[in-house]
Amino acid sequence: MKKIVSVLLLICMLLGVFALAGCQSGGGNRVLQSNFVIPEGGYDGSEVTITFYHTMGSNLSDVLNIYIQEFNELYPNIHIQHEQVGGYDDVRDQIKTELTVGNQPNIAYCYPDHVALYNIAKAVVTLDDLIASDIEVTRADGTTEPLGLTEAQIADFIEGYYNEGKQFGDGLMYTLPMSKSTEVLYYNKTFFEANGLEVPKTWEEMEALCARILEIDPNCIPLGYDSEANWFITMTEQYGNPYTSASGDHFLFDNAANKQFVKMFREWYQKGYVTTQEIYGAYTSGLFVATTGTNSYMSIGSSAGATHQRPAKGADGYPFEVGIATIPQVNAENPKVISQGPSLCIFKDANPQEVIASWLFVKFLTTNVNFQAEFSMASGYVPVLKSVADNEVYAAFLANADGGDYISALSAKICLQQEKAYYTSPAFNGSSAARDQVGLLMQSAFTKADGGNVDALMDELFAEAIRQCKR
């Protein structure tokens, strides 16, 4: 049975490759077409049950349930059943299995590489025609709304988050953003102010700062960076170097320019300037919040993990105040920071009304300012809409931002301020392998002996990473 399933998946994959090649052969004037045909009249009021897989715990599910009830006041015949399926990879793995028997959900949390995997079987609905549709849908209260997105709704999305939905090489839209995070620089504001230190805006400034901090405290590790993979990928984006491509030769990161910055950061590690999550053996926030033993004064990690970057509060308050800033850049005038966090995808179904109903719910969650505000405050993730900053409750939340009790608000505030800097990498079946391998490459580059020839070591590590990606 397993062999039959594997053969069927291979056939689907090959058909997808041929279809994509045919789609791209028409030149620059081709018209992108969705893989879903909207039924005449759009949603016809049918009673349907929609299944939604996600990773939400009880606190976030409580927020979701409030808005499902609000959605049902508009569409009482659309019943939403939602289920927490472990973490993001658990959602991916369960859907991968269910696709083989046609038992996948209607909607799911997703990352781009998940969608690329599902698309081997062409299982994900492209959203372009739904987004563009001007069909009027009548709600239970007698009011109407366009099936698609208005120009104002599209413009309200943070551009980098919205554009993640079309990073699959064919120009089509596969996802809408749900809630997002990024990387930010956490720093010990108390220490910085006491020693007259400036927050670094560039990597050159960061290098000089790390040297200065070691002079002040020779027993520290100035900087912790949680994700080696994010660091590598972000540097390729900041430098404008090749990393991957959604079409053609996928794996492009074995080049002299990338080897140069890896060599530079290897030197930082050898000088004691930096450590990473894998090398340290835990999230580097542990070093950052430490008040005894070896510690750090800066940490680059997820904006959604701000509360983990805050030291424990004692009887006299927090031992130090945390500051948050944009991560250092190659060019501070053209910042690039990674876009992370879940989007939503819709799966194909034999009943087109289930697809339409799924779309209406996805649209509701992603464009509802009140939901985005409440979900952000409960989760620590960043809302995907610019206008959430004007929401009265959320504005009050941001107004309280500080490096102590309201550190999550400070993190969100920084993320919203840098909304033009977000980037996403190309997504294809194998993009997750590239991410894994460049992370391992960075780890090995820092710790492996070079035998007196660092260039040979770089050549070896990059070549091996490419080999592993192509396995």
Side-chain angles (χ1 to χ4, degrees):
M1 181 62 185
K2 290 182 178 179
K3 290 183 178 180
I4 294 172
V5 169
S6 299
V7 171
L8 288 174
L9 286 175
L10 178 60
I11 291 170
C12 289
M13 180 175 66
L14 292 173
L15 288 173
V17 171
F18 294 144
L20 178 58
C23 180
Q24 293 179 329
S25 65
N29 296 322
R30 66 188 175 91
V31 177
L32 299 177
Q33 293 183 336
S34 174
N35 59 21
F36 172 69
V37 178
I38 301 173
E40 187 175 348
Y43 176 57
D44 63 8
S46 295
E47 191 158 349
V48 293
T49 298
I50 302 304
T51 305
F52 173 25
Y53 286 178
H54 55 71
T55 66
M56 300 178 203
S58 58
N59 63 323
L60 297 182
S61 291
D62 288 345
V63 176
L64 179 64
N65 285 331
I66 291 170
Y67 284 88
I68 288 176
Q69 183 176 348
E70 184 175 311
F71 177 76
N72 283 148
E73 291 174 3
L74 302 174
Y75 298 103
N77 287 339
I78 301 176
H79 308 289
I80 308 296
Q81 293 183 350
H82 63 95
E83 178 182 346
Q84 180 190 18
V85 186
Y88 296 117
D89 288 349
D90 297 311
V91 172
R92 176 201 63 198
D93 293 344
Q94 182 159 328
I95 292 173
K96 180 175 67 173
T97 299
E98 292 178 349
L99 281 172
T100 64
V101 292
N103 194 35
Q104 67 272 12
N106 299 97
I107 304 168
Y109 263 15
C110 61
Y111 273 74
D113 59 293
H114 301 176
V115 176
L117 175 65
Y118 306 150
N119 272 343
I120 294 176
K122 298 295 177 183
V124 179
V125 172
T126 50
L127 306 177
D128 303 81
D129 288 352
L130 288 163
I131 290 170
S133 175
D134 57 5
I135 294 173
E136 289 292 320
V137 179
T138 301
R139 299 178 289 205
D141 61 1
T143 62
T144 62
E145 66 170 315
L147 180 62
L149 299 177
T150 66
E151 290 184 7
Q153 285 173 323
I154 293 174
D156 195 24
F157 281 105
I158 291 174
E159 186 175 5
Y161 297 158
Y162 184 79
N163 287 338
E164 181 184 292
K166 44 188 174 182
Q167 295 297 313
F168 300 90
D170 58 5
L172 292 168
M173 191 82 166
Y174 287 86
T175 66
L176 283 184
M178 171 67 174
S179 59
K180 293 297 176 179
S181 64
T182 187
E183 289 184 325
V184 291
L185 171 66
Y186 299 92
Y187 63 96
N188 185 324
K189 188 175 181 180
T190 304
F191 176 82
F192 271 54
E193 290 177 348
N195 291 279
L197 304 177
E198 296 289 332
V199 178
K201 294 183 179 179
T202 66
W203 294 107
E204 185 177 6
E205 291 175 358
M206 173 63 85
E207 183 176 20
L209 176 61
C210 287
R212 175 63 183 134
I213 290 174
L214 271 180
E215 291 175 356
I216 299 168
D217 182 0
N219 296 317
C220 77
I221 301 173
L223 171 65
Y225 203 130
D226 271 341
S227 173
E228 296 102 328
N230 282 359
W231 199 0
F232 184 100
I233 297 166
T234 295
M235 295 310 299
T236 66
E237 189 72 21
Q238 288 188 5
Y239 276 112
N241 296 344
Y243 168 54
T244 58
S245 171
S247 58
D249 185 2
H250 291 310
F251 308 108
L252 308 175
F253 57 81
D254 185 1
N255 57 72
N258 290 340
K259 291 173 185 176
Q260 193 60 40
F261 73 69
V262 173
K263 284 169 59 178
M264 178 177 71
F265 293 135
R266 170 186 166 86
E267 291 176 4
W268 287 22
Y269 175 75
Q270 293 178 333
K271 291 178 179 179
Y273 291 174
V274 65
T275 190
T276 66
Q277 178 184 340
E278 293 300 324
I279 295 172
Y280 175 59
Y283 285 110
T284 61
S285 56
L287 277 174
F288 182 67
V289 301
T291 54
T292 59
T294 303
N295 69 301
S296 69
Y297 294 98
M298 294 176 288
S299 175
I300 294 178
S302 171
S303 60
T307 56
H308 298 290
Q309 303 279 0
R310 179 180 61 195
K313 191 175 187 178
D316 298 325
Y318 295 103
F320 63 85
E321 182 181 359
V322 180
I324 305 178
T326 298
I327 67 169
Q329 302 290 317
V330 170
N331 177 5
E333 300 303 314
N334 183 30
K336 301 290 183 182
V337 291
I338 198 165
S339 171
Q340 301 184 122
S343 293
L344 298 175
C345 66
I346 299 171
F347 291 93
K348 293 180 181 178
D349 192 276
N351 180 359
Q353 288 302 316
E354 288 193 18
V355 175
I356 293 289
S358 299
W359 162 253
L360 288 170
F361 185 61
V362 166
K363 175 188 172 184
F364 178 81
L365 293 182
T366 58
T367 63
N368 187 305
V369 172
N370 292 334
F371 171 75
Q372 284 287 319
E374 287 197 49
F375 195 84
S376 172
M377 290 185 289
S379 67
Y381 279 76
V382 183
V384 301
L385 303 176
K386 302 169 191 172
S387 61
V388 172
D390 300 323
N391 174 273
E392 185 176 344
V393 175
Y394 199 74
F397 169 72
L398 293 180
N400 287 324
D402 64 22
D405 289 341
Y406 298 98
I407 193 170
S408 292
L410 180 59
S411 177
K413 189 174 184 178
I414 297 301
C415 292
L416 290 171
Q417 289 173 352
Q418 61 186 26
E419 52 99 357
K420 293 187 181 298
Y422 297 120
Y423 75 88
T424 54
S425 300
F428 53 91
N429 188 36
S431 55
S432 60
R435 175 181 173 80
D436 292 343
Q437 290 304 316
V438 298
L440 290 171
L441 187 160
M442 288 281 276
Q443 182 182 345
S444 298
F446 288 4
T447 60
K448 195 170 183 178
D450 61 27
N453 190 338
V454 67
D455 290 330
L457 174 62
M458 292 298 112
D459 290 343
E460 173 192 333
L461 294 177
F462 274 77
E464 178 60 19
I466 293 290
R467 278 195 294 271
Q468 292 298 323
C469 286
K470 293 182 175 180
R471 288 181 62 183

